[in-house]
Amino acid sequence: MRVVSLVPSLTEAVARSAPGVLVGVTDWCTHPPALDAVRVGGTKNPRVDLIASLEPDLVIANEEENRAPDLQALRAAGAGVLVTEVRDVPQAFRELARVLEACGVPARPRWLDEAEETWAALPVPMDRPRAVVPIWRRPWMVLGRDTFAGDVLARLGVALVHADHPDRYPRVPLEELRDCGADLVVLPDEPYRFTADDGPEAFPALPCALVSGRHLTWYGPSLCEAPRVLGRALRAARR
């Protein structure tokens, strides 16, 4: 089986569950760190010619992370393309199982069971702070409706201020973000790399939680530890 992954989180899931099947991955596929596979470009600008030359049996993609024209070009080049859709945690588990089966994994991996058990065992949150969750600045963009990361936070007791916004990733002026009545700002380190010196200064009146983007936005083995890692960061910000 020869597989090209255009989704970093799926790269990690396949590499852990079916070592050796990945022949191509994106430049943004950072886990596992020592992965031996051809780098085929970015998620938004993959090198279709290079991917085709690898003669993959399957290209795995995501409807949000990858562009439809690139996927169409891959199909035209003769590649089989599996496109995932992940808008919440339960759907992530279903799609992971589908991808791993398509990649020839003979049995459901233990890490996937552990991740699902971990999320099923979460207690009902007693407190639900209202949060703004920027994912970009210049311009400012935040999590809106119907996103995987938003569902992750909701299951950890965080209510998104923009959960009912018509857009999934709305652009909102900074002044509106400051005045929206939030209790908390959640700043992930991807896709924009917010840091202690780049992000919190824009919200001087609010506590800011700097969180791991991999644990907030990736669906794969990181789901096993995401509740613990994210929960610790969220609690620390509100002390």
Side-chain angles (χ1 to χ4, degrees):
M1 187 74 175
R2 297 172 61 81
V3 177
V4 171
S5 172
L6 301 181
V7 186
S9 54
L10 295 179
T11 295
E12 183 178 16
V14 174
R16 179 161 172 177
S17 308
V21 308
L22 287 170
V23 296
V25 298
T26 76
D27 299 341
W28 301 105
C29 293
T30 57
H31 287 74
L35 181 61
D36 182 16
V38 175
R39 299 290 165 163
V40 300
T43 57
K44 297 292 192 288
N45 57 347
R47 293 180 55 190
V48 173
D49 55 344
L50 177 56
I51 295 171
S53 74
L54 296 173
E55 299 182 342
D57 300 299
L58 183 68
V59 176
I60 51 179
N62 176 263
E63 51 89 28
E64 181 174 80
E65 292 197 51
N66 308 119
R67 300 186 319 127
D70 294 323
L71 304 184
Q72 292 166 2
L74 286 167
R75 293 188 182 98
V81 180
L82 185 158
V83 182
T84 58
E85 178 184 278
V86 177
R87 302 292 179 88
D88 58 34
V89 172
Q91 190 176 27
F93 292 130
R94 295 194 298 271
E95 290 288 71
L96 283 164
R98 184 167 73 102
V99 166
L100 296 178
E101 181 180 4
C103 291
V105 178
R108 185 180 171 92
R110 179 57 191 154
W111 68 260
L112 186 53
D113 286 334
E114 290 176 358
E116 197 158 8
E117 292 163 4
T118 296
W119 283 91
L122 288 180
V124 177
M126 301 299 292
D127 182 28
R128 286 194 174 274
R130 285 167 45 82
V132 165
V133 188
I135 57 167
W136 204 259
R137 66 183 301 175
R138 306 181 194 97
W140 286 93
M141 298 175 65
V142 299
L143 290 182
R145 64 169 181 82
D146 193 26
T147 67
F148 171 74
D151 188 57
V152 165
L153 290 171
R155 292 170 187 272
L156 296 176
V158 176
L160 267 62
V161 170
H162 298 93
D164 296 324
H165 195 282
D167 298 328
R168 298 182 65 222
Y169 301 104
R171 296 185 180 189
V172 183
L174 179 58
E175 289 304 317
E176 289 186 24
L177 296 180
R178 289 172 173 166
D179 297 336
C180 68
D183 305 305
L184 175 69
V185 180
V186 179
L187 297 170
D189 60 11
E190 63 175 78
Y192 185 92
R193 187 172 181 79
F194 288 105
T195 68
D197 299 320
D198 185 357
E201 82 289 344
F203 302 94
L206 290 171
C208 292
L210 292 165
V211 303
S212 162
R214 174 168 167 260
H215 291 95
L216 178 62
T217 65
W218 287 33
Y219 34 90
S222 58
L223 282 169
C224 294
E225 58 187 13
R228 174 176 55 82
V229 172
L230 295 173
R232 184 173 59 223
L234 293 169
R235 289 191 297 272
R238 302 193 70 210
R239 285 176 184 159

